[in-house]
């Protein structure tokens, strides 16, 4: 197995302008990584490039991590179809690759008569989207199933197949399989210009020129900028900030389902949701911004979330907060994905992929593959990729520190480094020597959970940093 992963320095002749890739994917978020994995199933020379130093370092790392059924998508839209297909594909893939998923179900809670009257319409919408398992439950059953709900809940729409998934392991699994199958991964590789001719494209990047016959733009928040480099002015990405509060694992017992609001004219609103790491999330806000780097939390945003949370689950506000964070979603002013092929340019734009992108990622990748064929790509028949098993970060599954057999074979899995999150020396060692290792402490946290617990690395930070620095070349 030959692995090509570069993070610094000029691209070498066999990676840059003197080497022509069949396809280059710009953007190594969950959609770009899934697309690279799909391309890796074919006998193609493929590159995956990203301006950041890691996989999934943008929107993909900061979302609510829900595996959607697509029950509430716009019926007949491209998003509705790809979310429905993606739910099936990713559910199966996660089971094969060891990506933690918990089928906790969702409840859309009605807090007033107007919201209660909207539930039959939402159920009918789910039916039009091909989802037939939802049902309306009354206040009594709702209270039995969620006893910590605030007063005044009148009923809910139950969606039993909504799940939570690990948002960090998923894109890393896609990219790992792609790289092991021969895809070249170039990080810290920002696209600064594109020159196109009859033979394809030459990308001017921060690490030198790169030539490719076909191009896929999966650049997330910056997809509109890449699209304009190709001569288009089809959509504009307006970053929509979603701030969230993460509550300690001791709060997990307060909620059994994903608690969703009934959507209104202002949008979907604030939810309370479990995570596969054993926490509870409260959020997100929805703030239209101009700055694509504004991922900071604000006092006003957190105040709003606490106010909403007090209505949904009052006891939640008495629990310890582990972290706050914010993610930016790629809003385009259209309630559908902006996926378009340009045969004359051998180019596919993949824009406007918002919160459902994690769920739809594998279906988007297959759709993009079809569009690439329409632009002239001769890909041949797909092949199966060698399977992989990702390290488990899910609290509901067997973690290394609880595996007597694993510890007996290697005591490093019984040596706790991060006590808040129960992360072992063996897990950190494995992450640092993986096919795609982390290039920052945050990258290591997303691979192991180290420094992500209630003390935020106060006790283990020095040890984790020493292990990280010791592994760097």
């Amino acid at each position: 197995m030959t692995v090509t992963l570069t993070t610094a320095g000029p691209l070498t002749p066999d990676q840059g302008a003197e080497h022509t890739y069949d396809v280059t994917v710009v953007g190594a978020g969950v959609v770009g990584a899934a697309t690279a994995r799909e391309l890796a199933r074919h006998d193609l020379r493929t590159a995956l490039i990203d301006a950041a130093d890691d996989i999934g370092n943008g929107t993909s790392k900061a979302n609510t991590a829900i595996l959607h059924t697509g029950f509430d998508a716009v019926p007949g839209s491209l998003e509705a179809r790809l979310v429905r297909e993606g739910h099936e594909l990713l559910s199966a893939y996660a089971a094969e690759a060891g990506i933690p998923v918990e089928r906790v179900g969702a409840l859309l809670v009605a807090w007033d008569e107007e919201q209660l009257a909207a539930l039959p319409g939402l159920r009918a919408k789910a039916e039009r989207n091909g989802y037939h398992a939802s049902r309306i439950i009354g206040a009594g059953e709702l209270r039995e199933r969620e006893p910590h709900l605030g007063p005044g809940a009148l009923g809910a729409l139950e969606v039993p197949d909504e799940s939570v998934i690990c948002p960090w392991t998923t894109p890393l699994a896609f990219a790992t399989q792609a790289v092991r199958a021969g895809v070249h991964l170039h990080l810290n590789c920002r696209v600064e210009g594109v020159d196109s001719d009859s033979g394809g494209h030459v990308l001017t990047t921060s690490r030198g020129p790169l030539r490719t016959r076909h191009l896929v733009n999966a650049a997330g928040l910056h997809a509109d900028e890449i699209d304009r480099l190709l001569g288009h002015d089809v959509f504009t990405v307006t970053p929509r900030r979603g701030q969230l509060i993460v509550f300690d694992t001791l709060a997990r017992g307060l909620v059994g389902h994903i608690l969703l609001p009934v959507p209104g004219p202002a949008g979907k609103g604030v939810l309370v949701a479990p995570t596969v790491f054993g926490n509870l999330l409260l959020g997100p806000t929805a703030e239209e911004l101009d700055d694509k780097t504004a991922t900071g939390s604000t006092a006003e945003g957190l105040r709003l979330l606490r106010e909403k949370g007090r209505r949904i689950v009052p006891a939640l506000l008495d629990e310890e907060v582990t972290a706050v964070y914010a993610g930016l979603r790629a809003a385009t002013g259209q309630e559908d994905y902006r996926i378009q092929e340009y045969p004359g340019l051998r180019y596919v734009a993949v824009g406007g992929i918002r919160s459902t992108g994690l769920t739809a990622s594998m279906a988007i990748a297959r759709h993009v593959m079809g569009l690439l064929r329409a632009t002239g790509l001769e890909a041949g028949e797909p092949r199966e990729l060698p399977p992989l098993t990702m390290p488990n970060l899910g609290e509901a599954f067997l973690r290394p520190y609880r595996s007597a057999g694993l510890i007996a074979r290697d005591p490093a899995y019984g040596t706790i480094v991060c006590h808040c999150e129960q992360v072992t020396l063996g897990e950190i060692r494995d992450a640092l020597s993986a096919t795609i290792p982390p290039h920052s402490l945050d990258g290591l946290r997303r691979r192991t959970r180290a420094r992500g617990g209630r003390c935020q690395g106060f006790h283990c930070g020095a040890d984790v940093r020493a292990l990280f620095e010791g592994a760097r070349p």
Side-chain angles (χ1 to χ4, degrees):
M1 177 180 65
T2 301
V3 171
T4 299
L5 188 163
T6 69
T7 59
L11 297 174
T12 61
D14 66 330
Q15 302 160 355
E18 296 180 29
H19 171 97
T20 302
Y21 290 105
D22 293 313
V23 188
T24 295
V25 180
V26 179
V30 70
V31 171
T35 302
R37 177 190 173 275
E38 186 65 27
L39 288 161
R41 300 175 65 222
H42 301 265
D43 187 18
L44 297 167
R45 289 169 292 179
T46 301
L48 174 63
I49 68 175
D50 198 280
D53 68 354
D54 203 0
I55 296 295
N57 206 43
T59 299
S60 298
K61 73 179 181 183
N63 54 57
T64 51
I66 295 174
L67 183 56
H68 296 277
T69 57
F71 77 95
D72 60 345
V74 177
S77 65
L78 178 63
E79 180 179 19
R81 176 170 68 84
L82 295 181
V83 170
R84 185 170 61 250
E85 294 173 5
H87 181 272
E88 184 176 332
L89 290 169
L90 185 52
S91 296
Y93 181 77
E96 294 170 3
I99 299 169
V101 173
E102 288 186 56
R103 181 179 172 271
V104 293
L107 296 170
L108 279 77
V109 180
W111 296 95
D112 57 40
E113 293 294 341
E114 183 179 356
Q115 293 179 0
L116 188 65
L119 296 184
L122 289 169
R123 186 175 186 277
K125 185 179 186 180
E127 294 274 350
R128 293 199 302 276
N129 279 319
Y131 184 76
H132 305 288
S134 66
R135 68 185 186 98
I136 296 171
I137 63 175
E141 182 178 348
L142 176 59
R143 182 65 55 187
E144 287 178 7
R145 297 178 65 173
E146 290 290 350
H148 296 286
L149 271 178
L154 302 179
L157 179 70
E158 180 194 16
V159 187
D161 296 297
E162 294 280 295
S163 304
V164 291
I165 187 171
C166 180
W168 305 328
T169 308
T170 305
L172 185 61
F174 294 155
T176 297
Q177 264 193 315
V179 169
R180 288 181 180 178
V183 171
H184 289 192
L185 174 61
H186 303 304
L187 299 172
N188 295 311
C189 192
R190 183 181 301 277
V191 176
E192 299 170 343
V194 181
D195 291 314
S196 304
D197 56 32
S198 60
H201 313 274
V202 176
L203 309 184
T204 301
T205 81
S206 55
R207 295 180 53 201
L210 182 152
R211 178 175 286 279
T212 185
R213 292 190 178 88
H214 297 262
L215 183 63
V216 176
N217 170 14
L221 291 167
H222 302 281
D224 57 339
E225 299 163 34
I226 301 295
D227 202 46
R228 288 188 176 92
L229 293 176
L230 274 293
H232 304 136
D233 190 12
V234 178
F235 63 91
T236 296
V237 172
T238 301
R240 182 177 294 159
R241 180 166 61 189
Q243 300 184 51
L244 296 107
I245 300 175
V246 183
F247 289 89
D248 189 74
T249 52
L250 295 175
R252 177 65 179 83
L254 292 175
V255 169
H257 303 75
I258 302 164
L259 301 179
L260 299 169
V262 175
K268 294 184 178 180
V270 172
L271 58 81
V272 176
T275 75
V276 295
F277 314 116
N279 303 96
L280 286 180
L281 289 180
L282 171 64
T285 58
E287 309 156 56
E288 302 286 342
L289 305 174
D290 296 322
D291 185 356
K292 294 182 179 181
T293 65
T295 56
S297 300
T298 67
E300 176 60 23
L302 299 180
R303 184 200 63 76
L304 172 66
L305 291 181
R306 292 179 65 85
E307 179 182 299
K308 297 286 187 180
R310 185 174 289 109
R311 171 73 184 278
I312 302 166
V313 182
L316 189 58
L317 276 298
D318 296 326
E319 298 294 331
E320 294 292 332
V321 172
T322 295
V324 297
Y325 68 93
L328 300 177
R329 289 158 282 176
T332 64
Q334 174 179 298
E335 293 303 310
D336 202 356
Y337 296 157
R338 299 274 193 157
I339 303 178
Q340 179 67 50
E341 81 279 19
Y342 297 89
L345 276 177
R346 302 181 184 180
Y347 165 63
V348 178
V350 187
I353 311 300
R354 301 179 309 281
S355 58
T356 56
L358 172 59
T359 300
S361 55
M362 296 184 77
I364 293 173
R366 291 194 176 184
H367 182 62
V368 168
M369 193 72 207
L371 297 181
L372 282 169
R373 292 182 190 275
T375 70
L377 179 67
E378 297 180 2
E381 292 300 312
R383 63 178 183 267
E384 292 299 319
L385 297 176
L388 85 166
T389 301
M390 299 300 292
N392 168 51
L393 302 186
E395 201 60 29
F397 305 88
L398 185 64
R399 301 271 311 281
Y401 77 93
R402 295 188 300 184
S403 174
L406 185 60
I407 294 168
R409 292 191 297 273
D410 186 343
Y413 293 110
T415 303
I416 302 292
V417 176
C418 172
H419 286 267
C420 291
E421 295 294 278
Q422 302 292 294
V423 182
T424 66
L425 178 62
E427 292 170 278
I428 294 174
R429 177 200 63 200
D430 292 348
L432 293 171
S433 62
T435 302
I436 306 176
H439 299 284
S440 68
L441 288 171
D442 278 344
L444 181 59
R445 175 178 55 83
R446 292 193 294 272
R447 286 161 173 80
T448 64
R449 294 173 49 177
R451 300 169 53 254
R454 58 176 63 95
C455 84
Q456 292 292 286
F458 180 82
H459 288 285
C460 70
D463 289 339
V464 173
R465 178 177 289 277
L467 290 167
F468 174 74
E469 294 291 348
R472 302 183 78 177

